[in-house]
Each structure stands twice: as structure tokens, then as C-alpha cells.
Amino acid sequence: MERRSLLRAAVIGGTSAALGGTLWRGAAYAAPAQPGTGPYGALGSPDANGIRLPSGFTSRVIARSGQRVGSTSYTWHNAPDGGACYADGTGWIYVSNSEINPSGGASAVKFSSTGAITSAYRILSGTRQNCAGGKTPWNTWLSCEEVSLGYVYETDPWGTSAAVQRPAMGRFKHEAAAADPVRKVIYLTEDETNGRFYRFVPAAWGNLSSGTLQVMVAGSATSGSFTWADVPDPDGSPTATRSQVSGSKSFNGGEGCHYANDTVWFTTKGDNRVWQLNLLNNTYELAYDDSLVNGTAPLTGVDNITGASSGDLFVAEDGGTMEICVITPDDVVASFLRIDGQSGSEITGPAFSPDGTRLYFSSQRGTTGSSSGGITYEVTGPFRS
């Protein structure tokens, strides 16, 4: 995946626009892009599941909150949120958090090589408001509590090993996690209006039981250089982790986080931005800011984020027009799919199957607007490789 920034961004939506040069530095608009001309083309009419998709793509419902998953005896959790996929022999597993408090936790669905559901089961119980999380290179799922003094729990997607609380990763209002196998660290976002961006440096890579929590230190600008500083008291009491290091950079509502090829991207919902950190030269900048296009961009309510092998970023909306949007390596921003009739919900947990041909995600509250109305979907089609 290439490093990117919206220096040449073509923004494609209901009202088309394009950015020529770096708009926040005063460059002029380029010729407008054509509506619906993103890498996958225009969205079609709603399918039987109420999802508008580009040509060649289809959707199916995998699970509904409060109902049995497929032909299994397992009942799917309420408020499905962050998720990830894991290879399982010739098949795969999709894990999903439950953002309810109390109870929370996470569940998993196992698929055969043909995509048939073979089983579903619980992998984490008794936790609080598990929102996002992240996949580790050693194939565990980090499930994060989005509550004050919340924990990270390391879980087994196969459900054979008990989940383990990881207090060394800090106690704060956790959102997402992203593993960096090059620098051997885990990046962490914090869902507070003055949240911080962290990294956890394990004492031994592959073992999260001990290590050092660090926070990003930088100026107030939207681009520049950054450093890392140790958080003196990772348990966040009596002083919150975000308030312990002078000069640590504040972010407005940290959400999704994704790492690839010496770059980490994360979203901030309070200002509808996607940030990127270039880890080779320790600089940061905006990868997306919808205020730069006067509200004409298709992407609003930025939330969970994931990446494809093509280098495309897929960003789910919390609200907005209930879309998953794509940001391409050449800086095109366009709608990939839209869910109709679920304006009281949000899209969560986007994750690709190991072969990259299926995208999983949830509508957290579905058509009911309630946590008991969650719907988890699969979209199959000709994704770019």
C-alpha cells in the first residue's frame, strides 16, 4: 500500500468536486470529477438487503442480533462493532465486537472454503462496550473497551483459549488498535474529544503482558513532525493518560486505525478527518478532511477503517449517508456502498476475507435504530487487487 495524502484528491459523490494541489494551503480547484466515477463506478439501486452496490457486487446477510447465525445454535450479539478476518485452513473466521454495556464481548463466525457458515461462538464475555480493536500478526483479536479506564482484551478467534486482559496497554477510552510488525508496536486510538494517539511497545514482540505505553507528541498544526513519549502511569488513575505528557497532541474523537507499509492511518470523528503518519520520517499530515471540499465529499462521520491489497482504504460512516467510502492510492474519494433505510444506525467492522474477495461489515442498529437490531453483512465481487 502506498503512502498517500489528499494533495491531488478527486472527491466523487452526489455533488462532484476535485481538489487540485493542497487545498488547505490555498491551491485552486481542478476540473470536477464526474459523479459515480470512482474505481468501482456508480452505485446501483438497493438490492434485497437494502444495499446499493456497484455493478458486479452482491450482498448477503450473515447474522442478525438476537437470532441464530445460519443453521447454528448460536445467537448473534447486539450492537456488532469492530471486526477482523482470519485464515482457517481452507476457510476463514470473522470476529465481531459487541458495543453494549454491560456484557459487551465479542463473537466469531467460521466459514468453509465456499463461504458457507459452519459455526458461530463466543470468544469474549463479561466486558464493557467493546467498540473497535485490531488483529495481531500472531492471529489474536484485540478487543477494546470504549469506556473510561477501559481495557484491551487479547482474544482467540478460534475460541479455544481464554481471553486475557492486557492492562499494560493502558486504561483509557479505547477504540481501535493496529499492529506494526516492522517497529514491533501496537498503535491505539482514544475516543475522547481531546483524545490522544498512542503506541504500545511490548517488552517482547508477540507477548502483550508487559511493555511501555507511549503517546504521540506534536504541535497543533495539521501536519508536521512528531515524537513519542512514555506515559508515566498507564493505568490512568488518578490522572488520565491523555493528560500526563506535556506536548502530547490532542485529537477529536479517535476511531479506526490501520497500518500498512510504514504508514498508519487513523480517523477522528469529531472533525471528520483521516490522518496519516509516515513512520519512516516521523511526519504526520491529513489524508482526508471533508471541510476542505465545502461539504461536497461523500465521506462524513468517519469511523472504522481498513485496507485492501490494492492500496485502497475503506472507511465506514457513523451516520452520514450510511456508506462505506473508498480512498484510492491516487487520492480519489468515492462511495463504495450505501445502506438505505437505516439512518438511525452506523456502519462498523469492515474487514476483508483472507483472499480479498469478500468484505464483511455490520449495521450496528439496523432498521430499528436499537442495539438489538444489528445486522452483519458480506459483500462479494470484483475487488481490486
Side-chain angles (χ1 to χ4, degrees):
M1 183 178 290
E2 299 178 9
R3 179 176 177 270
R4 76 187 70 214
S5 63
L6 287 192
L7 304 182
R8 306 169 308 283
V11 181
I12 301 167
T15 303
S16 63
L19 296 176
T22 312
L23 188 61
W24 55 90
R25 295 176 188 163
Y29 272 86
Q34 294 302 309
T37 57
Y40 292 103
L43 303 185
S45 299
D47 65 10
N49 298 315
I51 301 180
R52 296 177 181 267
L53 293 163
S55 177
F57 289 85
T58 59
S59 75
R60 67 166 171 161
V61 173
I62 296 303
R64 294 179 182 271
S65 296
Q67 297 184 23
R68 292 182 177 181
V69 180
S71 60
T72 74
S73 61
Y74 184 74
T75 300
W76 197 236
H77 55 259
N78 289 345
D81 207 287
C85 281
Y86 298 79
D88 178 49
T90 58
W92 60 92
I93 295 168
Y94 177 68
V95 301
S96 170
N97 280 343
S98 175
E99 195 189 11
I100 58 174
N101 188 7
S103 297
S107 302
V109 181
K110 187 175 288 190
F111 299 88
S112 71
S113 59
T114 63
I117 295 171
T118 59
S119 63
Y121 45 90
R122 195 78 170 177
I123 61 172
L124 176 65
S125 299
T127 55
R128 305 167 296 162
Q129 203 162 323
N130 297 78
C131 194
K135 180 180 179 180
T136 69
W138 49 93
N139 285 328
T140 58
W141 167 244
L142 302 180
S143 184
C144 300
E145 290 184 314
E146 189 199 354
V147 294
S148 178
L149 299 179
Y151 287 101
V152 175
Y153 289 83
E154 188 169 15
T155 67
D156 175 15
W158 286 262
T160 56
S161 298
V164 180
Q165 191 181 84
R166 297 301 190 193
M169 300 184 76
R171 296 193 65 189
F172 53 88
K173 200 172 183 181
H174 283 276
E175 265 289 341
D180 176 353
V182 177
R183 280 145 287 271
K184 297 182 179 179
V185 300
I186 307 289
Y187 303 103
L188 301 160
T189 57
E190 180 179 26
D191 191 0
E192 299 276 7
T193 56
N194 61 339
R196 299 303 196 259
F197 188 71
Y198 304 88
R199 73 175 187 178
F200 178 67
V201 186
W205 187 233
N207 184 343
L208 303 179
S209 61
S210 64
T212 303
L213 182 68
Q214 298 182 324
V215 66
M216 179 179 167
V217 176
S220 59
T222 55
S223 64
S225 60
F226 68 88
T227 58
W228 299 101
D230 293 353
V231 175
D233 190 8
D235 71 4
S237 179
T239 303
T241 54
R242 63 185 179 277
S243 302
Q244 293 182 23
V245 175
S246 177
S248 60
K249 186 170 178 60
S250 177
F251 293 98
N252 191 351
E255 289 286 339
C257 191
H258 175 69
Y259 168 86
N261 294 348
D262 298 312
T263 305
V264 61
W265 294 267
F266 63 97
T267 62
T268 50
K269 67 181 180 183
D271 47 19
N272 282 314
R273 286 172 167 173
V274 181
W275 300 82
Q276 69 175 51
L277 273 59
N278 182 328
L279 303 168
L280 293 177
N281 62 16
N282 287 337
T283 60
Y284 71 95
E285 61 185 307
L286 286 173
Y288 174 79
D289 183 354
D290 73 351
S291 69
L292 303 176
V293 288
N294 301 317
T296 61
L299 176 57
T300 58
V302 298
D303 203 299
N304 291 169
I305 185 171
T306 193
S309 59
S310 61
D312 294 330
L313 295 176
F314 286 76
V315 187
E317 291 186 336
D318 179 350
T321 52
M322 284 292 289
E323 292 185 342
I324 293 179
C325 292
V326 60
I327 304 176
T328 72
D330 55 354
D331 301 324
V332 171
V333 183
S335 303
F336 171 71
L337 65 79
R338 182 186 307 148
I339 304 176
D340 279 7
Q342 300 186 28
S343 59
S345 187
E346 62 185 276
I347 297 180
T348 59
F352 283 94
S353 60
D355 66 0
T357 64
R358 302 167 191 252
L359 176 65
Y360 295 92
F361 60 93
S362 296
S363 171
Q364 190 180 80
R365 297 176 292 278
T367 59
T368 68
S370 166
S371 62
S372 61
I375 308 171
T376 300
Y377 300 96
E378 173 194 84
V379 164
T380 304
F383 289 100
R384 305 199 309 169
S385 59

